[in-house]
């Protein structure tokens, strides 16, 4: 049976989490991995519908993503999560639950993330239409020791994907 693992992508909205997971998916499949992506927006629509954006609701959402990711990984699936997951403590809680956990910090300056914002969420947050928006009026706690850091302001998607694949090879997951 293949070894499952969780690639936990964290970073601000617009940093590139979903873009990199989508580019990484065919690369992992080409190496024989069974792959699932748990995207924060998709999970909120289906698994966490009705939750708001208080810290408690955000933690509940991340715990749900972590629980599903853990179930999949223990069954040999390479799971990629793409959720802001702004609070360090809850990410550490998921890490403690899953021995095959790889934290991938996707980082770009706030102004770059705002410039990539196709949904206009940052503008709404700055105008006071959205309260508790991560990076504007709610904190994002950067990972202290992520296994991988992708600097999407200065790396191409291909360079970030290569960096992730290299680390997975080094760790023996692929």
């Amino acid at each position: 049976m293949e070894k499952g693992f969780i690639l936990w992508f964290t970073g601000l909205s617009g940093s590139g989490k979903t873009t990199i997971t989508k580019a990484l998916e065919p690369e992992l499949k080409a190496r024989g991995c069974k792959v699932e992506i748990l995207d924060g927006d998709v999970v909120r629509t289906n698994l966490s519908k009705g939750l708001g954006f208080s810290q408690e609701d955000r933690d509940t959402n991340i715990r749900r993503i972590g629980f599903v990711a853990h179930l999949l990984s223990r069954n040999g699936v390479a799971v990629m999560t793409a959720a802001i997951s702004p609070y360090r403590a809850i990410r550490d809680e998921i890490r403690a639950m899953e021995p095959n956990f790889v934290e991938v910090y996707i980082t770009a300056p706030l102004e770059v993330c705002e410039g990539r914002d196709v949904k206009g969420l940052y503008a709404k947050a700055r105008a006071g239409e959205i309260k508790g928006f991560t990076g504007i009026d709610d904190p994002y706690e950067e990972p202290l020791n992520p296994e991988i850091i992708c600097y999407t302001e200065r790396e191409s998607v291909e360079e970030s994907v290569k960096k992730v694949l290299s680390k997975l090879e080094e760790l023996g997951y692929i």
Side-chain angles (χ1 to χ4, degrees), residues 10 55 59 85-95 103 139-145:
T10 179
Q55 182 166 354
D59 286 351
S85 46
Y87 307 119
R88 195 176 296 123
I90 196 73
R91 293 191 309 263
D92 290 345
E93 184 180 309
I94 305 303
R95 179 187 289 275
E103 190 171 38
Y140 176 79
E141 299 170 358
E142 295 181 6
L144 298 176
N145 294 297

Side-chain angles (χ1 to χ4, degrees), residues 2-172:
E2 292 95 11
K3 187 180 205 175
F5 56 91
I6 296 174
L7 275 175
W8 194 277
F9 288 81
T10 179
L12 291 173
S13 179
S15 61
K17 297 177 300 299
T18 299
T19 300
I20 294 171
T21 59
K22 286 182 177 176
L24 193 55
E25 182 180 26
E27 297 292 333
L28 290 173
K29 286 183 175 179
R31 287 164 172 77
C33 295
K34 291 182 274 183
V35 180
E36 286 294 335
I37 296 174
L38 299 177
D39 186 87
D41 291 340
V42 175
V43 169
R44 270 205 175 267
T45 303
N46 296 288
L47 188 62
S48 294
K49 192 174 184 137
L51 289 179
F53 290 90
S54 67
Q55 182 166 354
E56 183 180 354
D57 281 358
R58 288 174 194 244
D59 286 351
T60 297
N61 183 51
I62 296 306
R63 277 190 188 98
R64 288 177 183 176
I65 293 171
F67 177 75
V68 172
H70 173 68
L71 290 178
L72 290 165
S73 73
R74 76 178 190 193
N75 284 287
V77 177
V79 183
M80 292 187 284
T81 69
I84 295 168
S85 46
Y87 307 119
R88 195 176 296 123
I90 196 73
R91 293 191 309 263
D92 290 345
E93 184 180 309
I94 305 303
R95 179 187 289 275
M97 170 193 350
E98 174 56 50
N100 301 322
F101 182 94
V102 179
E103 190 171 38
V104 185
Y105 177 33
I106 307 298
T107 183
L110 182 60
E111 32 317 334
V112 171
C113 294
E114 287 187 73
R116 295 174 178 166
D117 182 19
V118 294
K119 298 177 198 166
L121 298 175
Y122 281 105
K124 288 179 181 176
R126 289 206 181 274
E129 296 170 34
I130 299 175
K131 300 287 184 206
F133 194 79
T134 303
I136 302 299
D137 61 348
D138 200 63
Y140 176 79
E141 299 170 358
E142 295 181 6
L144 298 176
N145 294 297
E147 284 75 11
I148 304 163
I149 302 175
C150 296
Y151 300 92
T152 62
E153 176 191 27
R154 59 180 188 253
E155 292 174 8
S156 68
V157 173
E158 295 76 21
E159 288 170 321
S160 293
V161 166
K162 187 175 181 179
K163 184 184 280 188
V164 173
L165 290 171
S166 294
K167 188 64 172 183
L168 291 175
E169 288 170 0
E170 178 188 320
L171 294 170

